[in-house]
Amino acid sequence: MILIVHPTQKEARQTAEVFYYMGIPASARRPKEALSALSLCFRAVLVCKPSALPCPEEYVDRLRAIGGGVPIFALNEAQEDLVLSPLFDGAFDSSLSSASILLGIRQLQRRRGLPLLGAYSLAGLVLDCELVRPCYCDRPMDLTRTEAMILRYLVRCYPEYADVHHILRFAMRPTCLSEPAGIRTHICSINRKFMQIAGRRLIASLPGEGYRILTPECEAALL
């Protein structure tokens, strides 16, 4: 997952949607909102137009204090932004393609031995964003884009339950308005498809808590 920080909500969502189409759950927030949204679930933070921040140095320091080592990148759009680049773990020009930005983020993460943005695996599931199809124990899963995104978010949340409203925020298109009932429909579809492959459901639900991937450890705890 990646946290997109932008002075305007509309442009933050547009940037987040680009990552969504690359198979990466993204949260679009304005600077103040991002401070309360940042958590260890995120693999990276991308700050757009850093020179628009009232005090960039202080803001980046606060992100680092909250993020616990999550790398922070800048997306520069003006000469003023370039001056601030040393504050960040990496910086990109806005003229670069989204694929190039993703590659740059992953290169830094590899050098530092950090988990890679766009890599999702758990208990035989492999849902990396570069795969043509997600798979389970090397068997391809015929998932829709939305179903794959929901699974990726649940992988990042594991072993915690994911609230349906958080799934709506993180796993759905940033510009798409969906209802909780739609998430339940997607979950049922995922479980039905997984049942055909493995003979069991993949996602469990708990009233008042949300949804969680049902690993063998979870199944044993439920017995």
Side-chain angles (χ1 to χ4, degrees):
M1 287 169 44
I2 185 169
L3 178 62
I4 308 295
V5 185
H6 199 290
T8 64
Q9 187 69 21
K10 179 180 178 181
E11 292 187 63
R13 287 177 175 171
Q14 290 173 344
T15 304
E17 187 147 357
V18 171
F19 281 91
Y20 175 89
Y21 278 107
M22 290 193 293
I24 299 171
S27 178
R29 301 298 181 100
R30 286 177 293 185
K32 185 177 180 180
E33 299 167 340
L35 292 171
S36 59
L38 182 57
S39 73
L40 296 180
C41 284
F42 290 98
R43 297 300 196 204
V45 179
L46 183 64
V47 180
C48 308
K49 294 185 177 180
S51 62
L53 297 167
C55 184
E57 295 84 356
E58 179 182 336
Y59 185 79
V60 174
D61 284 344
R62 292 179 68 185
L63 285 176
R64 293 197 187 283
I66 297 169
V70 174
I72 304 170
F73 300 87
L75 186 63
N76 299 324
E77 298 189 16
Q79 188 63 37
E80 293 83 356
D81 294 333
L82 292 174
V83 176
L84 297 171
S85 293
L87 293 174
F88 299 88
D89 296 289
F92 306 101
D93 187 271
S94 59
S95 62
L96 286 175
S97 68
S98 53
S100 296
I101 293 173
L102 174 60
L103 178 63
I105 291 174
R106 288 166 67 102
Q107 285 176 338
L108 179 136
Q109 290 171 327
R110 283 193 180 95
R111 289 197 302 270
R112 295 188 179 179
L114 297 172
L116 297 181
L117 179 65
Y120 303 88
S121 60
L122 176 69
L125 288 169
V126 182
L127 303 118
D128 294 0
C129 65
E130 60 223 350
L131 291 179
V132 175
R133 280 188 180 182
C135 61
Y136 173 70
C137 294
D138 294 327
R139 286 172 285 181
M141 299 176 66
D142 188 22
L143 301 176
T144 66
R145 181 190 297 273
T146 299
E147 290 167 356
M149 292 296 283
I150 291 173
L151 266 184
R152 288 176 181 131
Y153 179 66
L154 293 179
V155 166
R156 290 298 299 119
C157 290
Y158 184 86
E160 303 297 328
Y161 281 89
D163 178 84
V164 65
H165 296 288
H166 289 171
I167 296 174
L168 284 170
R169 176 181 289 274
F170 290 105
M172 307 296 286
R173 285 178 55 198
T175 56
C176 176
L177 296 177
S178 301
E179 296 294 329
I183 297 299
R184 289 193 290 272
T185 300
H186 288 304
I187 297 292
C188 288
S189 176
I190 294 170
N191 277 336
R192 184 176 65 253
K193 293 175 181 178
F194 192 75
M195 181 72 71
Q196 295 171 352
I197 296 174
R200 64 176 180 86
R201 59 179 178 154
L202 177 60
I203 301 171
S205 63
L206 183 65
E209 296 291 335
Y211 298 96
R212 181 174 68 178
I213 291 177
L214 195 57
T215 65
E217 291 82 1
C218 291
E219 287 186 300
L222 293 174
L223 295 177

